[in-house]
Amino acid sequence: MPFPFNARAQGREGAKKRVSSLFFASLLLCDLALNSAGASPAEQCRFIGFHDLAAFAQTPASDGVVLLSPIIKAPMAWNELVASWNVEPVTNAVLRIEARGIFAGHETKFYTLGVWSPDRQARHSVRGQRDADGNVKEDTWIATRPGADVQLRLTWSGVKDPPAIKFLGLSFLDDRAPAQTLPPHRAAWGKIITTPERSQHSYPEEQGWCSPTSLSMVLARWSDVLHRPELNINVPEVVDGIFDTSYHGTGNWPFNTAFAGSFEGMRAYVARLSDVSELEDWIVAGIPVIISAPWHLLSPGRVDTGNGHLTVCIGFTETGDVVINDPATNLLKGQQVRHIYKREDVIKAWHESGNTVYLVYPVTAKTPPDPFGHWDSQK
């Protein structure tokens, strides 16, 4: 039972600190439900989604507003954390997302997990944050000591009346946990979700555009389904909307989902899953999933580029192999964007990222059951 989060719920006046008992009760119920569902996969990753701001303290700042969360109880002995957010796009508005860890007798500093803006020049990750407690690698807070409770600080600047924060997600991972195997969801075998096919190599200026190309494909899918042409966005436009000026690239995971989630009625966030069977759950629900899996491992024998890679899982074959729209496709050489990769190769490749996914779908979509608490499952 994730805790609700919405920026408009807090009101605009003053700095009243309100810690809702609902906040703590919901986290406790979530923890009890997940533990009863089965401990093994739940100990690998967890997700907390926020839909309401009622428990956050709001304080005016010199040119904006600061929102400070209550202490969020650690859902597991995590050592990696990725935050995601969906906000309405407002010119000149800049949102800084920070988090700190809280242990008995020790608090870490606030680490910056991202500085977000619709303005490309204002949008960036923050380098040089390493200390004895951890580091932020582009978009992922890596802690040296596992299991901290967490406090969030969200700072709006450039606006006195901040735009709505539609959703905030925290994805926790224990990268020391062994890989898990769940029973396959065979209802996905033989199911393909028709998704527009696009190649990152179609653009001469392309520099590692696998992530925005994958995102463009998924948004185009929802454009077709929802009859919303504004979601059919060409790849260079997506690049402009997600580019990280510090990282100098387009692979910042939360920036991709923040762009997709800025559209009315859309939800998008980064999550970690336990097993390929959970990808099957989403395919059965009719929702394609963007996965982070190195290109060279998806098909053994390819040259190791040393980089990560994003593709779109659109279904499964009758025998359980994975059907993927792979943006790293050269159409001029007659290659097809749609690939079939062996199940065991996808499992190995995807594991390299901690089974990271972008989940992008309309808020009206029916998401799959979530017995282990790995995604936003609030109805």
Side-chain angles (χ1 to χ4, degrees), residues 97-137:
I97 300 91
E98 299 172 291
R100 67 175 173 179
I102 299 176
F103 299 95
H106 177 65
E107 297 179 355
T108 75
K109 68 181 182 183
F110 275 102
Y111 296 92
T112 300
L113 306 185
V115 178
W116 172 255
S117 173
D119 179 2
R120 174 170 173 155
Q121 297 308 312
R123 181 191 324 122
H124 62 91
S125 55
V126 175
R127 297 173 179 264
Q129 300 190 69
R130 183 186 298 275
D131 63 8
D133 292 314
N135 190 26
V136 177
K137 185 177 180 182

Side-chain angles (χ1 to χ4, degrees), residues 191-231:
K191 182 177 176 64
I192 306 294
I193 301 172
T194 302
T195 305
E197 300 178 9
R198 293 174 181 175
S199 168
Q200 67 192 82
H201 299 314
S202 297
Y203 308 93
E205 69 274 32
E206 184 268 327
Q207 295 182 355
W209 284 5
C210 57
S211 189
T213 306
S214 295
L215 193 61
S216 177
M217 287 190 268
V218 168
L219 288 172
R221 157 71 184 177
W222 293 120
S223 174
D224 292 343
V225 171
L226 302 173
H227 307 291
R228 291 180 55 182
E230 74 274 17
L231 296 177

Side-chain angles (χ1 to χ4, degrees), residues 37-269:
S40 295
E43 291 173 353
Q44 191 176 14
C45 52
R46 292 281 183 88
F47 187 88
I48 298 176
F50 297 78
H51 298 255
D52 189 279
L53 189 60
F56 282 56
Q58 178 170 305
T59 306
S62 58
D63 65 341
V65 174
V66 178
L67 308 172
L68 185 67
S69 81
I71 297 173
I72 302 165
K73 180 175 173 55
M76 56 174 289
W78 65 276
N79 63 358
E80 289 192 13
L81 173 63
V82 178
S84 307
W85 53 91
N86 295 167
V87 301
E88 295 179 353
V90 175
T91 303
N92 299 324
V94 177
L95 176 63
R96 179 179 292 268
I97 300 91
E98 299 172 291
R100 67 175 173 179
I102 299 176
F103 299 95
H106 177 65
E107 297 179 355
T108 75
K109 68 181 182 183
F110 275 102
Y111 296 92
T112 300
L113 306 185
V115 178
W116 172 255
S117 173
D119 179 2
R120 174 170 173 155
Q121 297 308 312
R123 181 191 324 122
H124 62 91
S125 55
V126 175
R127 297 173 179 264
Q129 300 190 69
R130 183 186 298 275
D131 63 8
D133 292 314
N135 190 26
V136 177
K137 185 177 180 182
E138 284 82 49
D139 47 25
T140 305
W141 173 13
I142 302 172
T144 56
R145 179 181 171 187
D149 293 338
V150 175
Q151 187 170 40
L152 302 174
R153 185 168 67 190
L154 312 177
T155 303
W156 282 108
S157 59
V159 286
K160 290 298 184 181
D161 187 26
I165 297 178
K166 303 186 294 181
F167 179 75
L168 180 78
L170 298 178
S171 181
F172 298 87
L173 174 73
D174 179 2
D175 75 346
R176 307 157 303 165
Q180 301 292 334
T181 301
L182 299 173
H185 191 167
R186 294 181 186 271
W189 292 16
K191 182 177 176 64
I192 306 294
I193 301 172
T194 302
T195 305
E197 300 178 9
R198 293 174 181 175
S199 168
Q200 67 192 82
H201 299 314
S202 297
Y203 308 93
E205 69 274 32
E206 184 268 327
Q207 295 182 355
W209 284 5
C210 57
S211 189
T213 306
S214 295
L215 193 61
S216 177
M217 287 190 268
V218 168
L219 288 172
R221 157 71 184 177
W222 293 120
S223 174
D224 292 343
V225 171
L226 302 173
H227 307 291
R228 291 180 55 182
E230 74 274 17
L231 296 177
N232 189 1
I233 307 166
N234 65 39
V235 174
E237 186 178 349
V238 177
V239 169
D240 190 60
I242 67 173
F243 192 84
D244 182 340
T245 57
S246 175
Y247 175 65
H248 297 293
T250 57
N252 186 305
W253 294 336
F255 285 7
N256 279 261
T257 56
F259 176 80
S262 68
F263 290 94
E264 183 179 357
M266 295 299 295
R267 177 153 299 149
Y269 51 92

